[in-house]
């Protein structure tokens, strides 16, 4: 679990998100983009449609250690997301 960033090398746009499952998030994002299922982020969906998957880089920004309590997980992911959004203020939030 942790925070990740997706960047379009052509437009320079950044998208930051958090997930409980860093092992599968990259595949989930690119699958959803490939079938047009990220319409809630039209700029990302359009960039993917125009430039393809090769125009994007995926980076894990930070791993969080496993936690037992659901409330602690959600709280820590929210804090992590806000920290990275402050570091990259032009980034848009991605939720998958």
């Amino acid at each position: 679990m942790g925070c990740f960033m997706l960047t379009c090398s052509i437009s320079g746009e950044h998208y930051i998100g958090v997930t409980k499952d860093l092992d599968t998030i990259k595949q989930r994002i690119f699958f959803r983009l490939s079938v047009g299922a990220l319409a809630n982020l039209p700029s990302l969906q359009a960039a993917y449609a125009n430039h393809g998957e090769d125009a994007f880089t995926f980076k894990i920004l930070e791993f969080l250690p496993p936690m037992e309590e659901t409330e602690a997980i959600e709280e820590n992911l929210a804090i992590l997301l806000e920290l990275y959004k402050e570091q990259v203020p032009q980034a848009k939030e991605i939720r998958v």
Side-chain angles (χ1 to χ4, degrees), residues 1 8 13-14 21 24 29 37 39 42 50 59-60 65-66 70 82 87 89 92-94:
M1 117 179 89
C8 178
E13 291 182 303
H14 300 283
D21 188 3
T24 63
I29 290 169
N50 291 329
K59 180 179 180 180
I60 295 174
T70 303
E82 289 308 312
Q87 290 180 23
K92 297 173 184 158
E93 185 177 343
I94 182 171

Side-chain angles (χ1 to χ4, degrees), residues 6 13 15 29 33 38 41-49 56 94:
L6 189 65
E13 291 182 303
Y15 301 87
I29 290 169
L33 285 168
L38 280 181
L41 283 169
S43 63
L44 174 57
Q45 191 66 66
Y48 182 87
F56 290 89
I94 182 171

